[in-house]
Amino acid sequence: MPRDRRETPANDRVAATRLKGLVAAPRYADPVQFRVTRPLADLLRAPGGPRERQLVLGEAFELLDMQDGFGFGWAARDGFVGYVAAQALAADVPAPTHRVAVPASHAYSAPDLKRPEVMGLSFGTEVRVVSAEGGFFETAQGWFVPKPHLRPLNVPFRDPVTVAQLFFGVPYLWGGNSVWGIDCSGLVQAAWLASGRACPGDSDQQERGLGEALPEGTPVERGDLLFWRGHVALAVDPEVLIHANGHTMSVAYERIADAVARIEAQGEGRPTAHRRA
């Protein structure tokens, strides 16, 4: 059976050392950890190719090779393999201590809400806090972020659904992983990771690996995952789900019965799985 390229850190130039004897490659290498230095960076299928996922500021990227302005490796959060523009990566970024835990925030040039912002920050952005001044935390970059917007990395959310609901109204974006655009699997991943649970990046991977499969007809509970071919949603309660979807082009609530009927009427079939953590 062919290896899943999304989970196999190997190309025609290099492969991860752990694949020696399993995958043929001109050379093998151990990764060097880089971090994203821009508000958002695309994780591409090939250099200059289509977006598959995204990484937000501060997230770690395990780099195997750098060529023609792109780094090849995998996202530390889930092992998703791809290419990131070299200009969006740096190796000397201090390890983060906090994440943005509200839908969006700003980094300021000084601890003053009237000063110009440096950049926008999406939910999930990771920063290292070095000090506090007034209502702001100072980061290792010398930026200032409002204290209520940050949460220590070692204090996860308790409920993935609560996290998903923070994204209500965010526009749909294929392969998106931020408050500026997100897709169905990106929403689930954001919710699970922020709750301290491992989660792969794409819906088919999530359907294979998250939670426990339940028999058809099992009553739905809050936090359950409902899967269709190429789609996933989170149950808010026994009757309502939340999902990033192309129907509304946003993160939206929908009655489960309505979603099942609508998706089936579109020719996408019935749900393929119902899973519970």
Side-chain angles (χ1 to χ4, degrees):
M1 184 175 179
R3 292 181 179 273
D4 190 331
R5 59 176 173 74
R6 300 169 299 177
E7 302 170 2
T8 307
N11 61 15
D12 59 1
R13 287 171 51 88
V14 64
T17 301
R18 61 182 168 84
L19 294 178
K20 191 177 291 186
L22 300 174
V23 172
R27 66 183 179 91
Y28 298 88
D30 293 322
V32 177
Q33 190 173 93
F34 280 59
R35 289 189 182 274
V36 174
T37 57
R38 293 182 174 180
L40 190 63
D42 286 340
L43 182 63
L44 307 174
R45 183 179 303 178
R51 175 181 60 237
E52 297 212 292
R53 299 260 36 109
Q54 293 178 315
L55 301 173
V56 295
L57 178 77
E59 286 197 274
F61 183 73
E62 302 294 332
L63 184 79
L64 287 179
D65 186 43
M66 193 78 80
Q67 183 188 23
D68 299 331
F70 289 92
F72 172 71
W74 65 88
R77 69 187 180 204
D78 60 6
F80 205 111
V81 175
Y83 296 80
V84 175
Q87 293 180 341
L89 298 170
D92 57 353
V93 179
T97 59
H98 291 66
R99 70 161 55 92
V100 173
V102 293
S105 184
H106 290 103
Y108 291 88
S109 58
D112 181 349
L113 59 83
K114 296 182 180 179
R115 293 290 292 273
E117 72 279 9
V118 177
M119 64 177 68
L121 306 176
S122 172
F123 179 94
T125 292
E126 298 181 357
V127 296
R128 184 173 186 85
V129 169
V130 297
S131 68
E133 185 171 344
F136 291 81
F137 283 124
E138 183 180 7
T139 74
Q141 297 96 329
W143 305 333
F144 294 85
V145 181
K147 285 181 178 178
H149 293 180
L150 294 180
R151 187 184 188 104
L153 291 178
N154 62 0
V155 183
F157 284 83
R158 294 183 178 181
D159 176 23
V161 177
T162 298
V163 179
Q165 290 175 303
L166 293 175
F167 286 83
F168 175 70
V170 167
Y172 180 87
L173 181 69
W174 180 269
N177 284 89
S178 82
V179 73
W180 300 296
I182 200 163
D183 67 7
C184 64
S185 58
L187 181 66
V188 167
Q189 186 180 60
W192 275 56
L193 292 181
S195 303
R197 307 179 187 189
C199 183
D202 280 349
S203 62
D204 63 316
Q205 298 171 310
Q206 293 169 356
E207 184 172 354
R208 291 195 303 268
L210 295 185
E212 176 186 357
L214 301 174
E216 186 174 357
T218 301
V220 174
E221 296 182 1
R222 182 179 176 88
D224 285 1
L225 296 167
L226 301 175
F227 291 90
W228 287 261
R229 186 175 61 229
H231 188 61
V232 60
L234 269 165
V236 175
D237 59 36
E239 296 185 354
V240 176
L241 54 76
I242 187 169
H243 57 161
N245 66 91
H247 177 62
T248 63
M249 287 301 291
S250 67
V251 177
Y253 295 101
E254 189 171 7
R255 290 181 60 84
I256 294 172
D258 293 345
V260 169
R262 177 180 59 77
I263 293 171
E264 185 172 18
Q266 292 173 181
E268 300 298 326
R270 300 278 299 173
T272 56
H274 174 189
R275 302 185 72 91
R276 180 174 298 159

